[in-house]
Amino acid sequence: MPSPVPVPPEVARRRTFAIISHPDAGKTTLTEKLLLYSGAIRQAGIVGGKAGSKGATSDWMAMERERGISISSAALQVDYEGFVLNLLDTPGHQDFSEDTYRTLTAADAAVMLLDAARGVQEQTLKLFEVCRRRGLPTFTFINKLDRPARDPFDLLDEVEQVLGLATSPVTWPIGSGPDFRGVYDRPARAVHLYERAERGGRAGVVAVGGVDDPHLAELLGHEAHARLVEEIETVEALLPPTDPAAVLAAEVTPVFFGSVLNNFGVDIFLEHFVRLAPAPGDLHLLDGGTLPVAGPEFTAVVFKLQANLDKRHRDRTAYARIATGIFERGMTATHVRSGRTLRLARAHTLFADERETIDVAHPGDVVGLVNPGLLRIGDVISTLDGVAVAPLPRFAPEVFATVRSKDVQRDKAFRKGLDQLAEEGVIQRFYPAQGARDAVLGAVGQLQFEVFARRMQDEYGVEVILSPEPFTLVRWLDATPTSPGRFGRLVHDPDGAPAVLFRHAREVDYFQEEHPGLGVRSLPTL
């Protein structure tokens, strides 16, 4: 059996991860604080902050800044203590779950952010299930300890019971709410007390030794100190130390406590995360084989498209995760789906809406490739022919609307915006097989329509009219029926595949009764 290819240092120091959470758990604020502690920015913005406060660096879209939510996925690269962090910040709103799911396919680990008062919430559970299916090591950060919070033992028990994942606290909170003072670092057996920093700045650390340090009792008060000693003794007796192998096998989640808003515990989390999280691994192929991450062949997978990152040029960017080999600017590779040879002359790193041209990238890195319209989500670019990976997840839309431009003289810009935003996956597009020619848009949730309309106006100068349609589901067909039938509206997707829009599930049954033998699927064939 051949010996494994040694992993080069540049690959070994990469950490590529995504943050998952329920909306309003503090996900984008955590992203900002990781940038702050890495030295990438001097002051962290706060999503949904007060008037006059700095906006979140990782949120570049106007609607994100106004509403205090993340809508688009962000890819940020920073250096931290000799490691290269590739942070894939994802939309928190459930209407954009498909974008989040795709982003998770480009990650090697996930950071699950929980609200200390609410625990495991619905959206977090859904996203964790994706991580479980992919075998992603998951790190848990329990946030908002500066507010009234549930008992830490209850929160650990909920993670284990609801997610079926063993927990191993790496840090332990010292107090909660207004009495939250800091965290205890179990591996280092060290107490870290913090001083609240100015808004957006790093928290000051009060230098304290171990839990038995007499000075600690003076700072905390004897009652609070005695409670901390008792809790730590219980943790050490009941919960074993974190096993790095079990973390990498996704059998145990290391748990950290803190306050992202006040920067309490963020520094300790980072120090442990970079040493426990996995480096990029080999690429698993659809046929069951693998390509070595450190092998000579270059391969990258496109997991997201984004239009108009550069407002001056109105270009399109394809986010591609380097999976194997080394990217070098100007190299040639095969666009596997079409068989065309591409010269990768223009690639850049991504930092919100800012970019910097890069010459070299390594496995785990995410690069932005200028997309002339050829690249699609899920495409593979490789120096090898015929490389096939598992298809990226797709969601069937659940809400529908007909769209048209309010100003017919803006038709060219309308068509361009419709094409590019559909490519991104902001909405899905269908065209009636008969009758009206207005496109029917499908979305997972109503917010996607709002984002579509706002971006059409902001980025393409087109005001659109969206007329709700009564449909709630779509089914793709193996072939176009010889007669439309009485149930559903026959449409075609942009690839020309036939599909039918239905008002409710019973109509699907009626349609199949009218068209026996016609294959009906909930998603198109990729």
Side-chain angles (χ1 to χ4, degrees):
M1 182 176 179
S3 58
V5 179
V7 177
E10 282 297 334
V11 178
R13 70 191 191 102
R14 257 66 181 175
R15 299 292 183 269
T16 303
F17 63 102
I19 301 175
I20 62 173
S21 74
H22 194 82
D24 199 36
K27 180 179 56 60
T28 301
T29 305
L30 176 58
T31 300
E32 293 289 311
K33 299 309 172 70
L34 296 183
L35 297 177
L36 174 70
Y37 276 86
S38 70
I41 58 176
R42 293 184 178 180
Q43 184 182 29
I46 299 166
V47 174
K50 295 180 180 179
S53 67
K54 181 180 180 294
T57 302
S58 59
D59 285 341
W60 61 272
M61 196 183 297
M63 195 170 178
E64 292 180 311
R65 296 182 183 273
E66 291 172 8
R67 295 200 179 195
I69 58 175
S70 289
I71 294 169
S72 61
S73 293
L76 311 169
Q77 184 183 80
V78 295
D79 292 313
Y80 177 77
E81 294 189 353
F83 293 89
V84 177
L85 304 183
N86 292 300
L87 169 56
L88 308 177
D89 184 26
T90 59
H93 199 283
Q94 63 184 6
D95 286 3
F96 294 88
S97 295
E98 185 171 6
D99 196 6
T100 300
Y101 282 31
R102 289 170 176 166
T103 300
L104 286 172
T105 66
D108 297 319
V111 175
M112 179 170 62
L113 192 64
L114 303 181
D115 187 317
R118 296 183 172 91
V120 179
Q121 295 174 272
E122 180 184 5
Q123 182 69 358
T124 311
L125 178 59
K126 291 180 180 178
L127 295 173
F128 172 74
E129 289 300 330
V130 179
C131 297
R132 187 202 301 277
R133 289 196 296 270
R134 296 201 63 241
L136 286 183
T138 302
F139 295 73
T140 301
F141 191 101
I142 299 180
N143 187 28
K144 300 188 180 182
L145 266 296
D146 57 317
R147 303 179 185 181
R150 292 166 54 186
D151 180 82
F153 289 105
D154 289 344
L155 289 166
L156 294 179
D157 183 64
E158 182 174 288
V159 170
E160 296 197 348
Q161 295 299 320
V162 175
L163 302 182
L165 184 64
T167 60
S168 178
V170 179
T171 64
W172 193 256
I174 302 173
S176 67
D179 298 323
F180 181 50
R181 300 291 302 278
V183 297
Y184 172 71
D185 183 344
R186 284 184 72 196
R189 297 185 180 277
V191 170
H192 295 260
L193 298 187
Y194 297 92
E195 293 177 334
R196 294 177 187 265
E198 293 183 7
R199 192 175 185 90
R202 295 179 62 146
V205 179
V206 179
V208 179
V211 71
D212 296 327
D213 190 323
H215 184 47
L216 179 61
E218 296 177 11
L219 290 171
L220 293 178
H222 291 287
E223 183 178 342
H225 179 255
R227 184 167 55 251
L228 174 64
V229 170
E230 181 181 354
E231 289 179 349
I232 291 174
E233 289 176 349
T234 302
V235 169
E236 298 296 350
L238 297 179
L239 299 170
T242 303
D243 178 3
V247 173
L248 294 180
E251 297 170 352
V252 171
T253 178
V255 181
F256 302 82
F257 293 86
S259 166
V260 171
L261 185 63
N262 294 307
N263 302 320
F264 287 17
V266 176
D267 52 345
I268 308 301
F269 163 73
L270 263 177
E271 290 175 11
H272 288 289
F273 172 77
V274 295
R275 290 164 177 82
L276 287 170
D282 295 341
L283 176 64
H284 296 280
L285 304 178
L286 195 58
D287 62 6
T290 59
L291 284 179
V293 65
E297 302 295 345
F298 164 80
T299 305
V301 181
V302 176
F303 66 92
K304 178 179 172 61
L305 301 179
Q306 183 74 58
N308 305 319
L309 276 174
D310 188 337
K311 303 296 191 299
R312 295 166 298 178
H313 299 104
R314 298 295 183 188
D315 61 357
R316 285 177 282 181
T317 297
Y319 289 65
R321 150 78 187 242
I322 309 301
T324 68
I326 298 176
F327 167 87
E328 296 178 320
R329 186 160 65 98
M331 70 183 296
T332 58
T334 299
H335 178 238
V336 174
R337 178 171 53 83
S338 67
R340 290 176 55 178
T341 298
L342 299 180
R343 184 170 181 268
L344 305 179
R346 293 184 292 172
H348 48 262
T349 55
L350 306 161
F351 191 93
D353 57 347
E354 300 176 7
R355 62 179 69 192
E356 180 178 345
T357 300
I358 58 173
D359 296 318
V360 178
H362 299 272
D365 291 345
V366 174
V367 298
L369 302 174
V370 174
N371 179 23
L374 176 66
L375 298 175
R376 297 182 185 177
I377 292 171
D379 276 357
V380 176
I381 306 166
S382 179
T383 50
L384 288 172
D385 294 331
V387 176
V389 299
L392 299 189
R394 297 187 66 174
F395 284 18
E398 299 176 7
V399 292
F400 298 84
T402 299
V403 62
R404 59 184 177 87
S405 173
K406 193 171 184 179
D407 183 355
V408 293
Q409 296 183 351
R410 299 288 298 162
D411 185 69
K412 184 177 179 180
F414 171 72
R415 298 297 171 189
K416 180 180 180 181
L418 188 60
D419 288 343
Q420 294 187 354
L421 296 184
E423 283 179 357
E424 280 187 28
V426 174
I427 42 84
Q428 295 186 44
R429 183 177 36 162
F430 302 92
Y431 293 101
Q434 297 176 337
R437 304 312 301 168
D438 289 339
V440 178
L441 305 185
V444 175
Q446 187 64 35
L447 182 58
Q448 286 182 276
F449 285 152
E450 296 179 32
V451 171
F452 167 76
R454 178 62 181 274
R455 290 189 62 186
M456 286 291 287
Q457 186 166 6
D458 289 352
E459 299 172 24
Y460 301 94
V462 177
E463 188 174 352
V464 297
I465 298 173
L466 288 166
S467 304
E469 293 286 346
F471 309 112
T472 64
L473 68 164
V474 57
R475 293 291 184 267
W476 275 263
L477 308 177
D478 288 341
T480 302
T482 55
S483 61
R486 294 176 295 166
F487 302 99
R489 179 188 295 180
L490 183 63
V491 295
H492 291 94
D493 69 13
D495 293 325
V500 181
L501 307 180
F502 296 104
R503 291 175 297 176
H504 47 75
R506 188 61 183 147
E507 280 195 339
V508 181
D509 297 333
Y510 295 149
F511 180 86
Q512 290 181 296
E513 290 173 3
E514 283 191 335
H515 302 88
L518 185 62
V520 177
R521 291 169 281 105
S522 58
L523 287 173
T525 302
L526 296 175

